[in-house]
Amino acid sequence: MMDRARKLLSEAYGYSAFRGQQYDVIEAALGGRDCLVLMPTGGGKSLCYQLPAMISEGVALIVSPLIALMKNQVDLVRGYSSNNEVAHFLNSTLNKKEIKEVHDDLLTGKTKMLYVAPETLTKQENLEFFSDLTISFFAVDEAHCISEWGHDFRPEYRRLREMMIQINPDAPVIALTATATPKVQSDIVKNLDLREPHI
């Protein structure tokens, strides 16, 4: 799998080598381990879930708190791939026709990454729909939002684990953040119920 990851890193992303801890995180993620990733802004966190998502079976559900950030990430991923269906977002900005297109791409297995707001996961019809998909893993971006000691606490983040269990209790979880004190790190691990995480 890591040979495929290296090939994709070069061919799709245009990089000759992994940066910092990227290799270790991607290897752990592809091995099905829960991970907590702490990297500075611009340090290459996104690659730590995008690359495993591209080569894993199923679709990765990526929780992101900001609608603008989701669109940027989806546009970037599509830029690395020859197919626009590889990444989608599902949030309140989409109309019914656009939501149906996203659902169709998910059901046919074309989509490898789906960006969702935490609020999207709280809707029962979405939980039921996602439960029928093959989920490669969950990625929680800006994971410090789960902690009441974080600077950007979002109450919806507290319910993420409960939603993940409803969708697929066995899927690995990758939590990513640029800012986490030891207390916040501990809170992320506890609230997402990370199982012997690679940190």
Side-chain angles (χ1 to χ4, degrees), residues 111-127:
T111 304
K112 302 303 288 176
M113 281 169 255
L114 180 68
Y115 288 78
V116 296
E119 295 81 4
T120 305
L121 285 185
T122 60
K123 293 182 180 160
Q124 194 56 39
E125 68 266 25
N126 288 333
L127 289 173

Side-chain angles (χ1 to χ4, degrees), residues 89-160:
F89 58 81
L90 202 54
N91 60 37
S92 57
T93 66
L94 301 184
N95 61 37
K96 282 185 178 173
K97 180 176 175 282
E98 290 167 327
I99 290 169
K100 186 185 181 309
E101 286 169 5
V102 172
H103 282 186
D104 289 347
D105 285 346
L106 286 162
L107 291 169
T108 54
K110 293 177 184 170
T111 304
K112 302 303 288 176
M113 281 169 255
L114 180 68
Y115 288 78
V116 296
E119 295 81 4
T120 305
L121 285 185
T122 60
K123 293 182 180 160
Q124 194 56 39
E125 68 266 25
N126 288 333
L127 289 173
E128 288 167 13
F129 179 79
F130 296 150
S131 299
D132 291 334
L133 301 175
T134 301
I135 305 297
S136 52
F137 57 84
F138 295 99
V140 180
D141 206 4
E142 309 295 341
H144 61 271
C145 292
I146 206 168
S147 175
E148 60 193 273
W149 295 290
H151 68 273
D152 198 13
F153 176 56
R154 292 271 295 264
E156 306 88 354
Y157 264 64
R158 285 286 202 196
R159 296 189 58 204
L160 287 180

